[in-house]
Amino acid sequence: MAPFLFNLFACFTIAAAVGVVLNKNAINCAMCLLLCLAGAAGLFIRLDAFLLAFLLLLVYAGAVIALFLFIIMLLDARGRPGPTQRGLHTVAGTAAAAILLAAVVGFVSQSGPDRAVPGPPLAVGASLKLYAQPLFTVYLLPVQVIGFLLLISMLGAIALSRRPPPGS
Amino acid sequence: MIPASLNAFLALSALLFAIGFLGVLLRRNTLVIYMCLELMLVAAMLALVAFSRFNGTVDGDVFVFFILTVAAAEVAVGLAIIVALFRQRPTLQVDRHDALKN
């Protein structure tokens, strides 16, 4: 039962990811990315990371995909295809991705014995407390830094999207 | 629920990362390149969560929190940059943005 769920979510995620790469239409790509994120959230649940699965759906599938769709609709850049000399690019890109995949999988398969049985899963109710404890003790400074990063990125997005005054 | 095995998750994460990398190399549409970038981030998150679960620590999950936050900030700024670029030259094809090309 357990490997079946893993295989199901893995195939779903991979198929959706391939759809992101191969779809011609940008909106279809965004929808495939949404499906891929849903599959990844399912895999997170398989790993007992319930809170992270929920956050992934909330932040990525909720906010980021909506932002992508807004930008696609705002720019509406259909048609006008780019230059079509793609043969060499396709071969080189596929070869580079295959080399990357072979390197990582080779490294993983050489890295000692596989681990099949993890420790006992965390109790579901205790999960939030387990996340909060390191966030407010060990990782307090990164949390502050990331708060400032969010503030600065918000200001940056506003500054970038402001139209320049017509005189300049 | 007992996860399948650590290597299965790592191989899946590597495959997802390679697909995202392929998309970044192959696609010409700036927005689709950006989506493939997000795909690579999700692959990294999957590896971190798997390591965290199989090692019985919570540190990897905390890193995934940070990745989520940074990715949200990155998407906001990146899409603003894409909109600004579109105002300069009304196309989404990356090879039309060749102002720095010699």
Side-chain angles (χ1 to χ4, degrees), chain B residues 6-80:
Chain B
L6 180 55
N7 280 2
F9 278 101
L10 292 185
L12 175 65
S13 161
L15 186 56
L16 212 56
F17 194 91
I19 291 173
F21 185 60
L22 183 67
V24 170
L25 290 181
L26 286 191
R27 297 304 298 261
R28 299 285 172 80
N29 191 328
T30 319
L31 285 169
V32 180
I33 289 177
Y34 222 73
M35 289 178 206
C36 293
L37 225 65
E38 300 301 316
L39 212 59
M40 291 161 80
L41 278 176
V42 169
M45 280 189 222
L46 184 61
L48 276 175
V49 173
F51 274 127
S52 177
R53 176 71 185 88
F54 279 85
N55 285 327
T57 61
V58 81
D59 292 335
D61 292 348
V62 173
F63 278 134
V64 172
F65 269 115
F66 293 147
I67 294 178
L68 272 173
T69 320
V70 173
E74 177 214 329
V75 165
V77 176
L79 289 178

Side-chain angles (χ1 to χ4, degrees), chain A residues 80-95:
Chain A
R80 296 197 292 274
T84 52
Q85 33 98 20
R86 305 203 46 157
L88 190 62
H89 280 105
T90 310
V91 173
T94 313

Side-chain angles (χ1 to χ4, degrees), chain A residues 2-3 5-6 10 13-14 17-18 20-26 29-30 33 36-37 40 43-52 55-56 59-60 64 67-68 71-72 74-75 77 79-86 89-94 96-97 100-101 104-105 108-109 111-122 130-131 134-135 139 142-143 146 149-150 153-154 156-157 160-164, chain B residues 1-96 101:
Chain A
L5 273 180
F6 171 77
T13 311
I14 293 297
V18 170
V20 175
V21 175
L22 293 185
N23 255 315
K24 293 285 179 215
N25 191 344
C29 287
L33 184 60
C36 181
L37 292 171
L43 286 169
F44 280 14
I45 289 177
R46 283 284 289 107
L47 288 164
D48 299 318
F50 302 105
L51 180 68
L52 287 179
L55 278 180
L56 189 78
V59 173
Y60 261 91
V64 170
L67 209 56
F68 269 115
I71 297 295
I72 291 171
L74 178 71
L75 300 186
R80 296 197 292 274
T84 52
Q85 33 98 20
R86 305 203 46 157
H89 280 105
T90 310
V91 173
T94 313
L100 177 73
L101 181 63
V104 176
V105 170
V108 166
S109 61
S111 64
D114 196 4
R115 286 194 213 177
V117 182
L122 313 170
L130 278 172
Y131 289 132
L135 273 180
Y139 296 102
V143 169
I146 276 183
L149 177 74
L150 278 178
S153 71
M154 187 183 75
L160 276 171
S161 57
R162 199 181 47 180
R163 283 184 188 280
Chain B
M1 271 193 284
I2 297 175
S5 79
L6 180 55
N7 280 2
F9 278 101
L10 292 185
L12 175 65
S13 161
L15 186 56
L16 212 56
F17 194 91
I19 291 173
F21 185 60
L22 183 67
V24 170
L25 290 181
L26 286 191
R27 297 304 298 261
R28 299 285 172 80
N29 191 328
T30 319
L31 285 169
V32 180
I33 289 177
Y34 222 73
M35 289 178 206
C36 293
L37 225 65
E38 300 301 316
L39 212 59
M40 291 161 80
L41 278 176
V42 169
M45 280 189 222
L46 184 61
L48 276 175
V49 173
F51 274 127
S52 177
R53 176 71 185 88
F54 279 85
N55 285 327
T57 61
V58 81
D59 292 335
D61 292 348
V62 173
F63 278 134
V64 172
F65 269 115
F66 293 147
I67 294 178
L68 272 173
T69 320
V70 173
E74 177 214 329
V75 165
V77 176
L79 289 178
I81 288 175
I82 288 177
V83 172
L85 272 177
F86 193 83
R87 285 202 190 121
Q88 289 278 329
R89 185 171 294 192
T91 176
L92 280 179
Q93 304 290 322
V94 272
D95 34 17
R96 298 283 175 84
K101 197 171 180 180

